[in-house]
Amino acid sequence: MRSLPSPRWRRQATAALALVAVSGALASGTAHAAEYERLVNGSFSNGSADPWWASAGVSNRVTNGELCATVTGGTVNPWDSLIGQNGVPFEAGQSYTMSFDAYASVARPAAAVAGEGVSPYRQIAKHDIALTTTKQRFTFTFTSELDFPDAGPGQVTFHLGAQAADTTVCVDNVSLIGGVKPPGGDPATPAKKINVNQVAYVPGLPKQATLTSDATVAQQWVLKNSAGTTVATGTTVPRGSVDPESGDSTHLIDFSSFDTAGAGYTLTVGTETSFPFDIATDELKKMRYDALAYFYHNRSGIPIEAQYVGEQYARPAGHLNVAPNQGDNNVPCLATISCGYTLDVRGGWYDAGDHGKYVVNGGISAWQVLNTYERAVRIGDPAPLGDGKLNIPEKANGVPDILDEARWEVEFLLKMQAPDGMVHHKIHDQNWTGLPLLPHQDPQARRLSATSTAATLNTAAVAAQAARIWKTIDPAFSAKALAAATKAYAAAKANPNKIADPNDGTGGGSYSDSTLTDEFYWAAAEMFTTTGESSYRSDLTSSTHFKGKSINARGYDWGSTGPLGDITLALVPNGLPAADITAIKSAFTAVADAHLSQMSTQGYPAPYRPTEGYDWGSNGLIANNISVLALAHDFTGAAKYREGVFQGLNYLLGRNPMSYSYVSGYGEQPVKNVHHRHWANQLEPTLPTAPPGALSGGPNSALQDPIAARLLTGCKAQKCFVDHIEAYSVNEVTVNWNSAFTWIANWAAEKITTAPPVDTTAPSTPGTPVASDITTTGAKLTWTASADPESGVKEYDVISVEGDALRVVATVTSPSATLTGLRPDTAYKFTVVAKNGANLRSAMSPQVDVRTKPDVVAGYCKVVWRASTWSTGMSANITVTNSSTQPWNGWKLEFTMPGNQKITQGWSATWAQSGQAASATNVSWNRTVAPNASVSIGFNSSGSGSTAQPTDFRVNGNPCTVG
């Protein structure tokens, strides 16, 4: 479990705060009767200040149940020194009452402010106060004129600057009551009653979903394709009892008998319908690359370039001593320890949502990324992990890209080694940085924490692993890694119980671990496997963890690393007796069997059995337990373990009681607001949400952050989750959870070996398109829909037939398309082709002819009509003037002939008539007409009826003035 973090703070555009007028008047009266509390942790009773933050020059601490801020003097403006809380919701027109206790080390002014934490920094209300050395209670009421959602840009701050000397200000019992919306804002989208893997079920494997229902008898389910056509039906299997992990009464929906590949399937029971899903393999194959991309996104010390991640995720390098960074190239130790040196620790991966880099978390992460490759080389398929497979700067250097990415972290681990061989536990900011904050904008001083035995053994293990992997790829790096591993292992043996300080939690998590026998076992396994030396073998075989003793149903993580050594021993030839290797593999299959047994009884199957509730990072533990199932399949070939892997993935990808895909960018409802400082769209709309492939930490029964505690009290284990950026104890992302997810995503992609059944029937031919709403540059086409009873109609291509060429001009999902970008006064031929979920295409529909309207230009032409008439005919002379600013290079005059006159003779033009529609087209000698120039033409006609002058003269489709 990660240690509880201290406050985060948001960067301020401080000058703007003072210049904006108060936009909410102070008012008399009371708060709304609902009396919803809008601030979190205003009593500081848990000893933590979180989520209250402090700006530069201010440091927060909780003392005797009060938040006390030490404020550096000498600032110019009151808003130059701040403490505050972000994400505070406000509703326009609603009344709020803010109250708090406060005092200071000396009498001084301050202000309590409600407003906007991002540009344009609008204020809602400001209340000036006079602090004394005696605690006072302050209360003021105001009406908000602004709307800010929960976790939006609204904030409450205390202005503490503009004092010549240093002071301390303490606040307590801070409250903001008002508004009509319940805590958390509007109710979240309710969970689905039918929960599925929102991404894809694999053809040839079991396909199961969960219905939440109190019904005690079986219910009929219906599987429909993307066109809404029923393709399978069946009945549910009631579980018969309340699911203990979720608190739900559930039914099993098993639609495994349907195996036709396609997109957009849904399950329906009564009025309830699932999110759409595919039966396919492409998305699952892509997922391994998105999972791996997490690490490049979180590299430190290198620009993250748009050519690899896209513009929205690109950012400058962080922590390279470019202001305001203080950099990682010359980092001293904490003031509380004396090490007498500085280290250059540039590089590595930022651990989680923060800007820290932790050796024990980085160790398991680098190991899992490397083991993903090492396992593939030994017993799998390494080709998909080769050079050029990832979007990273090293993608064309002849080395497998997954190794290039892992090396970025391995090099950092080696830099954290002290001269005596021990390894520093972590490096991070002196104080917690806030959300949102890009790494290159971090102004905090960086400090090394003390060395620890755990960090030293992590480095020894990973460096030994790297030494054997790079032995032939880069012998020099291999030798460097092995030397560091050897020195680290010896240092750990000499200092076997140097525990990381559990109170070293300011600016970064403490990651303290008091049990180190598992780290010693892991490191010994790696050292022995790489070197074969007897001393390491002796340490290994004498360990209480030997032969899989530490593999259990809870799973492994950064604090429980014994199984990592077992995985290496089982996969990499090492000289141990065959019986020992068999015992290790048997330990994996025994735990895998326990997982399968438990999953068979669960409403939402997940291979995870904690001792009590769900832990912080439960999804990471589930991912690691999925790897146990995967290895059991590797060791035995038994199909049940492979099926268990994909059942576990179903949980992560949406078959859970929260109806979330816990992997960003995957599924109809993926997590978006993960706890991360630069994937912080929920707090700052100009920043992005998480890119595809990041695994959220997931449900945590302990509710170890104020947001989770406020919103989730009383939750069942699998429901202790909210997709909220400030709910870090349930929605954080970390390198070690994503390394676990990377491992299983790659394994799953490799093991999708069953070819999907082929839908060989193309959709029926669409009906003839009908054109309507024709303009100069567009038209609307509609047609009778195609049918496809197997995998459903996925989309239609609208095709322009241009001689022998065909050009797709639109792709739509319904039998209607609005075309744009056409040329004026141009003839087109269009046809439509349907495409189904198996990407089969129908025959082309019959064609439709469409001519766009001419482009109308005002003031284009002028016509003068002179006619002589008689009882059976007339003679007309017409003068046509170019009144536009451009010459005509060819012209055509059109008008409606009066009465029933028929042209019998014409001159100076080529004349034509159809019904009463008449036209005159230029001849060669009067083709060009300059601006303000004219041509004279005429005709004789016969007929009777009206001979009145026409009024609808048009040249080249443009209306003309007459006179």
Side-chain angles (χ1 to χ4, degrees):
M1 182 185 73
R2 289 173 57 79
S3 299
L4 290 174
S6 298
R8 291 132 167 97
W9 61 278
R10 176 177 291 186
R11 294 173 60 247
Q12 310 294 315
T14 52
L17 284 168
L19 298 176
V20 180
V22 173
S23 57
L26 300 183
S28 61
T30 59
H32 189 274
E35 294 190 342
Y36 288 127
E37 176 60 66
R38 299 303 177 184
L39 297 180
V40 175
N41 191 26
S43 67
F44 314 105
S45 57
N46 64 359
S48 168
D50 204 44
W52 294 87
W53 48 260
S55 68
V58 181
S59 60
N60 279 346
R61 69 183 187 281
V62 174
T63 303
N64 297 324
E66 300 172 335
L67 175 63
C68 292
T70 300
V71 184
T72 303
T75 55
V76 176
N77 303 299
W79 54 89
D80 289 342
S81 300
L82 303 167
I83 60 174
Q85 184 172 134
N86 294 328
V88 180
F90 289 97
E91 302 160 54
Q94 295 301 317
S95 177
Y96 295 85
T97 296
M98 184 172 179
S99 57
F100 53 91
D101 300 329
Y103 66 95
S105 56
V106 296
R108 53 154 297 166
V113 181
E116 186 174 25
V118 298
S119 179
Y121 301 99
R122 295 168 292 176
Q123 283 186 354
I124 296 173
K126 177 173 178 285
H127 186 62
D128 293 312
I129 57 177
L131 299 178
T132 67
T133 57
T134 301
K135 182 185 294 187
Q136 302 175 76
R137 184 70 175 169
F138 298 93
T139 300
F140 67 103
T141 300
F142 59 92
T143 297
S144 177
E145 296 179 3
L146 300 177
D147 262 315
F148 295 130
D150 183 73
Q155 67 175 194
V156 165
T157 57
F158 290 94
H159 290 191
L160 305 178
Q163 299 297 297
D166 294 355
T167 58
T168 298
V169 174
C170 296
V171 297
D172 194 9
N173 300 315
V174 188
S175 172
L176 179 69
I177 292 176
V180 297
K181 295 179 181 178
D186 291 323
T189 302
K192 287 281 189 180
K193 296 295 186 182
I194 303 174
N195 285 296
V196 297
N197 176 333
Q198 297 171 22
V199 180
Y201 289 90
V202 176
L205 284 174
K207 301 171 192 67
Q208 296 178 342
T210 300
L211 168 68
T212 302
S213 173
D214 292 330
T216 57
V217 297
Q219 306 290 300
Q220 184 178 47
W221 57 260
V222 177
L223 177 67
K224 297 180 180 180
N225 63 22
S226 60
T229 303
T230 296
V231 294
T233 61
T235 55
T236 66
V237 178
R239 285 289 184 184
S241 61
V242 173
D243 186 50
E245 289 86 0
S246 67
D248 290 342
S249 296
T250 64
H251 292 219
L252 172 68
I253 299 174
D254 192 326
F255 57 104
S256 303
S257 60
F258 185 84
D259 219 28
T260 301
Y265 291 106
T266 54
L267 281 166
T268 298
V269 176
T271 60
E272 303 293 340
T273 299
S274 71
F275 282 126
F277 57 89
D278 296 353
I279 297 176
T281 59
D282 287 351
E283 282 294 288
L284 296 176
K285 290 179 180 178
K286 174 178 175 289
M287 196 161 59
R288 65 172 152 202
Y289 298 119
D290 285 335
L292 275 165
Y294 178 96
F295 302 99
Y296 176 67
H297 276 281
N298 286 281
R299 283 191 191 184
S300 176
I302 187 174
I304 305 306
E305 299 182 53
Q307 63 177 310
Y308 306 118
V309 298
E311 289 291 344
Q312 65 177 326
Y313 294 107
R315 59 174 173 81
H319 299 104
L320 288 184
N321 289 66
V322 176
N325 278 173
Q326 298 191 35
D328 284 355
N329 68 333
N330 194 32
V331 182
C333 292
L334 286 168
T336 54
I337 59 177
S338 178
C339 60
Y341 54 82
T342 62
L343 293 181
D344 178 352
V345 290
R346 289 172 290 180
W349 298 322
Y350 295 119
D351 175 73
D354 58 16
H355 300 138
K357 298 182 289 189
Y358 308 87
V359 170
V360 295
N361 223 31
I364 187 173
S365 303
W367 183 92
Q368 285 187 306
V369 174
L370 289 174
N371 186 258
T372 300
Y373 173 80
E374 190 166 37
R375 179 210 155 271
V377 168
R378 295 291 177 183
I379 60 172
D381 180 11
L385 304 173
D387 193 30
K389 296 297 184 179
L390 302 183
N391 282 324
I392 58 175
E394 304 86 355
K395 65 188 299 182
N397 64 356
V399 176
D401 286 345
I402 191 172
L403 297 186
D404 289 323
E405 188 57 69
R407 183 166 175 169
W408 193 261
E409 179 70 5
V410 175
E411 295 269 21
F412 160 74
L413 296 177
L414 301 185
K415 291 178 180 180
M416 290 289 283
Q417 190 165 36
D420 65 356
M422 294 290 284
V423 176
H424 286 274
H425 200 69
K426 54 181 182 166
I427 179 262
H428 54 66
D429 292 314
Q430 195 164 12
N431 291 294
W432 282 98
T433 54
L435 281 75
L437 187 66
L438 291 166
H440 70 284
Q441 297 169 334
D442 174 17
Q444 294 275 353
R446 308 281 276 178
R447 294 293 182 264
L448 293 166
S449 290
T451 58
S452 72
T453 306
T456 304
L457 290 167
N458 267 260
T459 299
V462 174
Q465 178 193 34
R468 65 174 177 268
I469 290 174
W470 268 275
K471 187 173 184 179
T472 58
I473 298 171
D474 186 340
F477 178 62
S478 172
K480 175 184 176 182
L482 185 56
T486 303
K487 187 175 183 179
Y489 191 87
K493 292 269 286 186
N495 300 274
N497 201 35
K498 189 174 184 183
I499 306 300
D501 182 1
N503 298 313
D504 182 11
T506 300
S510 67
Y511 283 98
S512 184
D513 181 5
S514 60
T515 301
L516 302 178
T517 54
D518 52 326
E519 281 84 3
F520 270 108
Y521 175 70
W522 172 33
E526 301 297 340
M527 294 297 294
F528 170 65
T529 300
T530 298
T531 68
E533 292 183 12
S534 59
S535 61
Y536 302 127
R537 178 173 182 154
S538 177
D539 289 348
L540 173 72
T541 57
S542 62
S543 170
T544 56
H545 297 280
F546 186 45
K547 293 190 289 190
K549 295 297 192 302
S550 59
I551 303 170
N552 58 53
R554 176 190 177 269
Y556 57 90
D557 57 12
W558 67 266
S560 180
T561 58
L564 307 184
D566 290 312
I567 294 171
T568 289
L569 295 173
L571 291 175
V572 184
N574 50 57
L576 286 177
D580 290 346
I581 303 302
T582 298
I584 292 172
K585 292 179 177 180
S586 295
F588 278 92
T589 57
V591 173
D593 286 335
H595 286 319
L596 294 180
S597 177
Q598 179 199 16
M599 292 166 71
S600 69
T601 68
Q602 290 180 298
Y604 307 93
Y608 173 51
R609 184 174 293 172
T611 55
E612 183 178 352
Y614 268 37
D615 292 312
W616 190 325
S618 64
N619 283 344
L621 288 159
I622 288 169
N624 283 329
N625 286 336
I626 292 173
S627 75
V628 171
L629 291 166
L631 289 163
H633 177 75
D634 285 341
F635 300 153
T636 68
K640 64 179 180 179
Y641 301 124
R642 175 171 173 258
E643 293 173 1
V645 168
F646 288 95
Q647 285 274 47
L649 281 172
N650 289 346
Y651 172 87
L652 296 178
L653 297 177
R655 190 188 172 192
N656 56 67
M658 300 306 294
S659 303
Y660 273 104
S661 168
Y662 288 122
V663 180
S664 60
Y666 281 84
E668 189 74 10
Q669 183 169 275
V671 291
K672 293 181 179 179
N673 304 311
V674 300
H675 180 78
H676 197 279
R677 277 162 178 70
H678 46 281
W679 299 335
N681 179 266
Q682 191 179 13
L683 291 174
E684 173 51 68
T686 62
L687 293 175
T689 57
L695 179 68
S696 166
N700 172 12
S701 301
L703 306 181
Q704 290 163 282
D705 67 77
I707 296 296
R710 183 176 75 174
L711 299 180
L712 302 172
T713 298
C715 57
K716 291 293 185 178
Q718 288 186 344
K719 291 184 177 179
C720 295
F721 177 81
V722 60
D723 185 24
H724 192 300
I725 191 170
E726 296 279 12
Y728 51 82
S729 71
V730 300
N731 207 28
E732 188 178 29
V733 289
T734 71
V735 286
N736 61 306
W737 300 334
N738 246 72
S739 61
F741 183 61
T742 290
W743 197 102
I744 62 172
N746 182 73
W747 192 97
E750 179 189 291
K751 293 299 182 180
I752 299 173
T753 55
T754 302
V758 178
D759 180 354
T760 59
T761 305
S764 63
T765 303
T768 305
V770 176
S772 62
D773 300 337
I774 299 172
T775 65
T776 56
T777 59
K780 182 178 180 181
L781 300 181
T782 57
W783 57 91
T784 302
S786 299
D788 191 289
E790 291 183 284
S791 52
V793 175
K794 181 180 179 182
E795 59 194 16
Y796 297 90
D797 284 340
V798 179
I799 298 170
S800 174
V801 182
E802 301 168 356
D804 294 332
L806 301 176
R807 180 170 63 94
V808 176
V809 293
T811 300
V812 295
T813 57
S814 61
S816 175
T818 299
L819 308 182
T820 59
L822 305 181
R823 297 183 298 277
D825 197 22
T826 303
Y828 289 90
K829 290 182 182 294
F830 294 110
T831 183
V832 177
V833 171
K835 186 163 56 177
N836 68 8
N839 292 320
L840 297 175
R841 300 171 68 85
S842 72
M844 290 191 294
S845 73
Q847 297 177 11
V848 61
D849 293 323
V850 177
R851 187 176 191 92
T852 53
K853 292 182 177 180
D855 198 358
V856 176
V857 178
Y860 190 80
C861 52
K862 179 180 179 182
V863 170
V864 177
W865 167 283
R866 296 182 181 87
S868 299
T869 64
W870 54 90
S871 60
T872 58
M874 71 175 175
S875 180
N877 288 286
I878 306 171
T879 301
V880 183
T881 301
N882 178 359
S883 56
S884 73
T885 60
Q886 300 295 322
W888 298 345
N889 184 24
W891 52 268
K892 181 180 182 180
L893 173 70
E894 298 173 284
F895 59 94
T896 301
M897 186 71 75
N900 60 6
Q901 297 289 319
K902 301 296 182 184
I903 296 173
T904 57
Q905 181 187 15
W907 54 87
S908 300
T910 300
W911 289 89
Q913 185 175 356
S914 175
Q916 295 310 106
S919 67
T921 305
N922 65 270
V923 291
S924 60
W925 54 269
N926 64 2
R927 174 182 180 83
T928 302
V929 184
N932 298 317
S934 302
V935 293
S936 296
I937 60 176
F939 65 87
N940 292 328
S941 65
S942 63
S944 59
S946 172
T947 56
Q949 173 180 300
T951 59
D952 61 343
F953 292 107
R954 303 174 306 282
V955 172
N956 296 338
N958 297 284
C960 301
T961 58
V962 180

